[in-house]
Amino acid sequence: MNRQLPLRHALSACPHDCPSTCALDVEVLDGQRIGRLRGAADHGYTAGVICAKVARYAERIHHPDRLILPLRRRGPKGSGDFEPITWDDALDIVAEKFLAAERAHGAEAVWPYYYAGTMGLVMRDGINRLRHVKRYSGFFSTICVNPAWSGYIAGTGRLAGPDPREMARTDCLVIWGTNPVNTQVNVMTHAARARKERGAKLVVVDVYMNGTMQQADLPVLIRPGTDGALACAVMHCLFRDGHADWDYLARFTDAPHELAAHVKTRDPEWASRITGCDVATIEAFARLVGERKRTYFRLGYGFSRSRNGAVNMHAASCIAAVTGAWRLEGGGAFHNNGAIYHWRKTMIEGLDACDPSVRQLDQSRIGPILVGEADALCGGPPVTAMLIQNTNPVSVAPEQDKVKRGFARDDLFVCVHEQFMTETARMADIVLPATMFLEHDDLYQGGGHQYIQLGPKLVEPPGECRSNHEVICALAQRLGAEHPGFAMTPRELIDWTLRESGWGTLERLEAEGWIDCQPSFERAHYLDGFAWKDGKFRFKPDWPNVPFRSPTTCGPVDQIPPLPDHWGVIEEADAAHPFRLVTAPARNYLNSTFTETPTSLQRERRPELMLHPDDAASCGIADGDPIVIGNPRGEVRLHARLFDGVRRGVAIAESIWPNAAFVDGKGINTITGADAIAPFGGAAFHDNRIWIRPA
Ligand code: SF4
């Protein structure tokens, strides 16, 4: 008999690592189960649209493979042989091991490690409260935003830009280095409105003919890591053809005459040789941007995941300053709105207990750190104990062979608090079952928009799952860590944080659903001056002193070109490695999340390398053939997919598949590098030279 379950709709926010942070309308069936998820229709940015993988979230939250009990390792590390234990026993063991590590090597031997598996402020960042109070090794977060954010801030001085909803009111939308059809669908909603209502043109700059490129009026297909050359050539044309706004340049920029003289030699022929893009396309791009003053540059993360990524981001952001597009609604350059929220996170993160002299270990360098490379350890003690929440470094971190060797160390104790038995959890000594976002209360901010949103607890978690906050507080008690934040509930933390940050109260947020934090038009468009003392956009950034939160500079900062340029610091192809590999995001996965859901797995099929048919022919490879790709960091086995939507010499592996999905268990990050990008670190996931052979 079909029993009709009581149904209610509730608001939430997508917690996943995606700039859209969609406002969700959730079907709650009976307090235990959910139905379909939809985009909240009256949310100004989400506008009723979310991606398919989150719409079918019931597949993930009610998955039969969810972890529901605490587990202790019984067999060898990585064997997957675990036995259930009680929560009290599990937490006692973790606390005992952390205290023992502290006694043997000092508090810095313990390294709490986390990332953006949830973007909720309470559940993601609360681990920092424990590490600050206990003076454990710091976590220098580098794996995602550093080159992109520092490159953008290098020009504007602040991580904020024109209202993202203005994309619907532009005459030309330039989507640069991001594939919103795969990763943040709402950008396409606003693009469609601008096209329909204003006849706007869509320009997309990317390294392969992905779903977004296929929708463009002008797809600009370039080689990876050559965006700076493209930007310089566009600016060359703008100055040459009288499209530079000299009044704006004089009032709002630092060195317009130097820039004009500099790009005089960076013409489309020069850029064509570097980018692989034909001269006519570069000219057409410049003409569109020059003639349509109301041009909105939506600058993504993808093109920053390169050793010259910060320079490329900055170069792309300079174009809007040359045309003066910032003056107009629907004009300017947007990357992320992180700076508009002015959070006070003292209670969530225990910032009042932070000692800046404690070492900060680089998240992206977890491989070199765990195998004991002295420079990666900043000259300090080895890491011998870890607590991991919200991330899966054995799959997602670069230089995977080192990461795996590190996690296999007998003298390393690891506790992983997770939703599924990920490849990192498999390497743990203790595995704790974690709640999902609809099973706890949390607070979210949009990166790609300007709303604060609430994600309330809507259903009970399965089995014995506990939230990150519960685990952190329970460990703090056992470890003797004291801070008022450990005694607060998530709702109290949310209320405190909203009040102290000037955003009202939890009660107000619950009543209104979300808070629109969009600054005034003048401020968002920097018409009151860019965020530097003299108010001028920087064509010539002072790179080491760009105001980006970082304990140190990284990489060859002193070699960064003074003005926008093509910086040839990338892993160029050479005779032994004639191809350049990009590890772009797959449509049905989000990093390693959703690689457990049946529909996503079915749609992505298997790990493949997309390469040009002429390149394949020259290597003796046919469509569907098993192949091996490699470089000095290692080798990966997958299957060839012939695809003529890339430049010759470029290969794309849409990821991130579990390592176990590859023929010999070595995932794509076996061949990505962990060397830190200038100026403030990061991993160059899309900047790899490789060879390709038939398997
Ligand atoms: S588009 Fe991004 S933010 Fe929106 S539902 Fe999908 S993953 Fe979440």
Side-chain angles (χ1 to χ4, degrees):
M1 190 181 75
N2 252 348
R3 191 167 63 89
Q4 198 69 36
L5 294 171
L7 171 74
R8 75 181 174 97
H9 287 262
L11 277 182
S12 186
C14 178
H16 290 290
D17 189 4
C18 166
S20 278
T21 321
C22 289
L24 304 175
D25 173 345
V26 184
E27 286 180 0
V28 184
L29 299 181
D30 56 359
Q32 303 288 333
R33 298 184 71 80
I34 63 158
R36 197 163 175 79
L37 270 59
R38 296 182 178 82
D42 50 349
H43 185 273
Y45 187 75
T46 301
V49 179
I50 60 169
C51 65
K53 59 187 175 291
V54 170
R56 52 176 187 262
Y57 213 79
E59 269 189 31
R60 185 163 195 275
I61 195 168
H62 304 310
H63 197 296
D65 296 344
R66 282 233 9 220
L67 293 170
I68 53 170
L69 296 171
L71 302 170
R72 171 171 49 196
R73 180 169 63 82
R74 193 166 46 189
K77 281 199 173 190
S79 65
D81 184 8
F82 291 94
E83 61 186 356
I85 52 170
T86 66
W87 266 102
D88 275 344
D89 285 351
L91 292 166
D92 286 348
I93 292 169
V94 178
E96 205 176 283
K97 293 288 185 181
F98 279 20
L99 291 169
E102 202 176 329
R103 279 194 301 274
H105 300 285
E108 288 184 343
V110 182
W111 191 23
Y113 192 95
Y114 70 102
Y115 204 54
T118 175
M119 295 286 277
L121 271 51
V122 174
M123 300 302 168
R124 183 190 62 192
D125 301 332
I127 193 170
N128 287 327
R129 189 179 338 118
L130 184 65
R131 70 131 155 138
H132 286 145
V133 173
K134 288 293 298 175
R135 301 168 61 83
Y136 292 152
S137 273
F139 178 81
F140 174 27
S141 166
T142 57
I143 212 160
C144 183
V145 304
N146 296 30
W149 287 12
S150 59
Y152 184 87
I153 297 168
T156 61
R158 186 170 66 225
L159 187 68
D163 188 333
R165 293 167 295 195
E166 288 180 33
M167 285 187 287
R169 300 193 285 278
T170 188
D171 293 333
C172 179
L173 177 59
V174 179
I175 299 177
W176 195 317
T178 182
N179 180 9
V181 164
N182 277 19
T183 59
Q184 40 169 335
V185 290
N186 317 83
V187 170
M188 302 313 288
T189 309
H190 296 283
R193 265 191 67 193
R195 290 171 110 176
K196 190 169 166 219
E197 293 173 11
R198 306 180 59 86
K201 295 291 181 195
L202 178 60
V203 181
V204 182
V205 181
D206 218 310
V207 297
Y208 71 119
M209 289 299 294
N210 55 40
T212 309
M213 286 280 269
Q214 285 166 20
Q215 295 196 24
D217 298 295
L218 183 68
V220 183
L221 182 66
I222 61 172
R223 295 191 186 110
T226 64
D227 308 76
L230 176 66
C232 285
V234 168
M235 290 189 279
H236 168 99
C237 300
L238 293 170
F239 283 114
R240 181 197 66 194
D241 298 342
H243 291 307
D245 181 340
W246 278 104
D247 173 60
Y248 182 86
L249 285 164
R251 285 174 57 203
F252 286 103
T253 69
D254 64 336
H257 293 284
E258 270 183 77
L259 178 71
H262 167 72
V263 296
K264 211 163 191 170
T265 57
R266 269 78 176 157
D267 62 14
E269 288 74 17
W270 167 84
S272 178
R273 287 191 292 277
I274 296 169
T275 61
C277 183
D278 58 277
V279 169
T281 300
I282 298 172
E283 291 277 2
F285 181 14
R287 203 160 41 247
L288 266 178
V289 169
E291 289 172 356
R292 296 186 175 226
K293 286 287 177 233
R294 206 180 291 271
T295 290
Y296 192 107
F297 290 81
R298 181 65 180 85
L299 306 173
Y301 287 96
F303 76 113
S304 75
R305 306 205 193 291
S306 181
R307 287 171 181 78
N308 57 5
V311 170
N312 291 342
M313 169 62 80
H314 172 251
S317 77
C318 288
I319 302 173
V322 172
T323 62
W326 287 97
R327 288 181 195 266
L328 301 168
E329 188 186 39
F334 180 83
H335 173 58
N336 183 288
N337 253 339
I340 68 173
Y341 299 104
H342 47 75
W343 290 118
R344 201 160 161 237
K345 293 169 78 180
T346 313
M347 281 304 138
I348 292 179
E349 295 203 41
L351 296 174
D352 47 350
C354 175
D355 175 352
S357 71
V358 172
R359 74 170 170 185
Q360 293 217 48
L361 297 176
D362 184 339
Q363 169 190 21
S364 302
R365 308 205 68 210
I366 182 170
I369 286 166
L370 292 187
V371 297
E373 291 181 12
D375 65 324
L377 287 165
C378 310
V383 170
T384 60
M386 296 182 78
L387 167 65
I388 300 179
Q389 291 184 321
N390 317 332
T391 188
N392 182 14
V394 172
S395 297
V396 307
E399 289 189 24
Q400 188 177 97
D401 276 354
K402 286 184 184 173
V403 179
K404 287 176 172 167
R405 271 195 281 135
F407 273 104
R409 270 172 44 204
D410 282 333
D411 64 335
L412 174 68
F413 170 82
V414 176
C415 170
V416 175
H417 184 201
E418 250 304 350
Q419 298 162 343
F420 289 95
M421 185 58 78
T422 62
E423 290 176 320
T424 305
R426 260 180 104 81
M427 299 302 292
D429 300 279
I430 295 288
V431 178
L432 304 175
T435 47
M436 288 190 186
F437 76 108
L438 297 171
E439 299 159 354
H440 57 235
D441 296 305
D442 215 335
L443 178 67
Y444 301 87
Q445 72 176 58
H449 58 68
Q450 71 297 320
Y451 288 98
I452 291 172
Q453 296 165 188
L454 184 68
K457 177 175 173 177
L458 298 178
V459 291
E460 290 301 322
E464 298 183 16
C465 292
R466 291 189 187 174
S467 73
N468 290 6
H469 181 66
E470 287 175 282
V471 167
I472 295 301
C473 295
L475 284 175
Q477 199 179 20
R478 285 166 170 79
L479 292 162
E482 291 182 4
H483 189 276
F486 294 127
M488 294 166 78
T489 65
R491 287 176 63 84
E492 286 167 344
L493 285 170
I494 292 168
D495 188 56
W496 190 95
T497 305
L498 287 168
R499 284 174 194 271
E500 293 291 322
S501 308
W503 294 119
T505 61
L506 172 58
E507 195 182 359
R508 178 186 152 202
L509 181 55
E510 279 183 310
E512 296 179 8
W514 42 72
I515 302 168
D516 186 344
C517 306
Q518 182 59 40
S520 69
F521 181 85
E522 280 67 29
R523 186 160 169 77
H525 283 252
Y526 296 103
L527 300 184
D528 52 359
F530 286 90
W532 306 104
K533 265 194 186 141
D534 61 4
K536 297 196 169 189
F537 183 92
R538 293 285 185 271
F539 290 131
K540 284 180 77 177
D542 176 10
W543 283 102
N545 294 307
V546 167
F548 179 77
R549 45 130 190 93
S550 170
T552 177
T553 55
C554 307
V557 190
D558 53 342
Q559 292 166 35
I560 296 180
L563 283 156
D565 215 336
H566 172 62
W567 188 25
V569 74
I570 52 177
E571 271 195 7
E572 286 285 14
D574 58 21
H577 312 86
F579 298 95
R580 303 240 312 129
L581 170 73
V582 169
T583 59
R587 183 167 192 170
N588 294 283
Y589 300 153
L590 207 167
N591 300 325
S592 68
T593 309
F594 297 98
T595 56
E596 67 288 307
T597 53
T599 308
S600 289
L601 282 166
Q602 191 191 343
R603 294 197 176 160
E604 293 297 330
R605 274 183 5 118
R606 64 181 180 184
E608 290 179 329
L609 186 80
M610 298 151 78
L611 77 167
H612 196 281
D614 296 341
D615 285 336
S618 71
C619 296
I621 291 168
D623 194 38
D625 277 359
I627 56 173
V628 194
I629 64 177
N631 60 23
R633 293 184 281 268
E635 296 183 7
V636 175
R637 288 163 190 272
L638 64 179
H639 288 84
R641 172 146 54 109
L642 271 47
F643 175 67
D644 62 7
V646 282
R647 298 275 168 217
R648 291 286 310 270
V650 178
I652 311 288
E654 290 188 339
S655 299
I656 295 171
W657 280 91
N659 306 332
F662 291 79
V663 177
D664 58 2
K666 292 185 172 224
I668 199 68
N669 282 311
T670 306
I671 51 180
T672 57
D675 47 309
I677 296 175
F680 300 117
F685 287 111
H686 302 339
D687 181 7
N688 312 283
R689 61 175 153 238
I690 57 164
W691 47 257
I692 304 175
R693 296 176 194 143

